Amino acid sequence: TSIPLYAQIAYDAQLLNKNILLKSEIELRDLIVDSKELRNLKLFDQLIHIRKKIAKYKTEYTSVKLRKELKSIERQLMKESKQYGDYMRFLSTTHQDVKSHIKEDDICIEFTTFLRYNKDTKENIRDYYALIIKKNYSYPKAIRICSEKDLIRTETLYNTIWYPLKEELYGVKNIYFSPTMTLNRLPI
């Protein structure tokens, strides 16, 4: 099952989330410090200060005013700092970018989770999905893999994780995947 727009958004969100974890603001600040561009370092510190203010003061007026100031500083940094520009381009990676770099017999899988509410048990259930990109796909495909409980109880990881993707993996030579949550701790 796949709803194209949701699968695209989910895939892009996973990439963004993981990119943010890989390249933190601390690393970016270090790059700007290393460049010895004092003006850009001051701008970057202002940017961080404003972001903290926005998080602290959540009134609409303050937020709008601060967001305008934030956008202005971001534009300045994009123009004047190569490091900041590279960082922002890195964060804007999408499923289309990934697709453009793979071959016909490759598959890219972003594993992700979604919570769903079970009315009968009145509990949230975490489901694992595979967001899949192939060269010939117009958009990512989303396939439900299993629930968190199924994953924890499984005796054979192949049947739980890879078997639901059997049709997608047919003819594939290279599998590029990015696990999440419990999958990070399993030998998949």
Side-chain angles (χ1 to χ4, degrees), residues 13-28 87 90-91 110 178-181 184:
Q14 283 297 309
L15 286 174
L16 176 62
N17 189 27
K18 290 175 182 175
N19 284 341
I20 288 171
L21 292 174
L22 290 172
K23 280 206 168 245
S24 68
E25 284 182 349
I26 294 168
E27 290 173 332
L28 177 57
Y87 174 78
F90 177 76
L91 290 181
E110 282 287 335
S178 178
T180 191
M181 310 230 10
N184 281 310

Side-chain angles (χ1 to χ4, degrees), residues 14-155:
Q14 283 297 309
L15 286 174
L16 176 62
N17 189 27
K18 290 175 182 175
N19 284 341
I20 288 171
L21 292 174
L22 290 172
K23 280 206 168 245
S24 68
E25 284 182 349
I26 294 168
E27 290 173 332
L28 177 57
R29 188 178 193 288
D30 290 346
L31 286 172
I32 294 173
V33 167
D34 290 347
S35 75
K36 297 183 177 33
E37 298 172 9
L38 190 57
R39 175 171 160 60
N40 290 340
L41 182 58
K42 286 180 183 177
L43 282 171
F44 184 75
D45 286 343
Q46 281 181 321
L47 185 88
I48 300 306
H49 180 71
I50 292 169
R51 284 183 182 160
K52 287 178 182 176
K53 274 185 172 178
I54 289 171
K56 185 177 179 181
Y57 305 110
K58 297 197 177 181
T59 66
E60 184 143 342
Y61 172 75
T62 304
S63 188
V64 169
K65 182 181 173 192
L66 288 173
R67 285 182 197 284
K68 283 182 182 177
E69 193 176 342
L70 184 72
K71 288 282 183 210
S72 172
I73 293 172
E74 284 177 338
R75 278 193 292 275
Q76 274 184 280
L77 273 170
M78 286 290 282
K79 272 194 245 177
E80 297 177 24
S81 172
K82 178 187 177 331
Q83 293 78 10
Y84 187 79
D86 290 348
Y87 174 78
M88 295 310 288
R89 279 185 287 286
F90 177 76
L91 290 181
S92 63
T93 303
T94 68
H95 68 281
Q96 294 290 1
D97 299 319
V98 172
K99 183 178 164 181
S100 72
H101 287 86
I102 61 174
K103 297 176 185 163
E104 293 294 329
D105 54 1
D106 292 344
I107 188 171
C108 294
I109 304 169
E110 282 287 335
F111 288 102
T112 190
T113 63
F114 293 103
L115 288 177
R116 70 178 158 86
Y117 183 72
N118 184 322
K119 292 178 188 175
D120 298 332
T121 62
K122 296 188 182 346
E123 66 180 354
N124 286 322
I125 297 171
R126 182 175 304 280
D127 286 330
Y128 282 79
Y129 281 79
L131 301 171
I132 300 168
I133 292 179
K134 283 185 168 181
K135 192 73 164 181
N136 63 337
Y137 284 5
S138 300
Y139 51 85
K141 188 181 274 190
I143 297 176
R144 184 184 177 278
I145 304 295
C146 63
S147 71
E148 179 90 36
K149 287 180 184 177
D150 295 337
L151 187 60
I152 292 168
R153 293 183 198 144
T154 192
E155 291 183 24

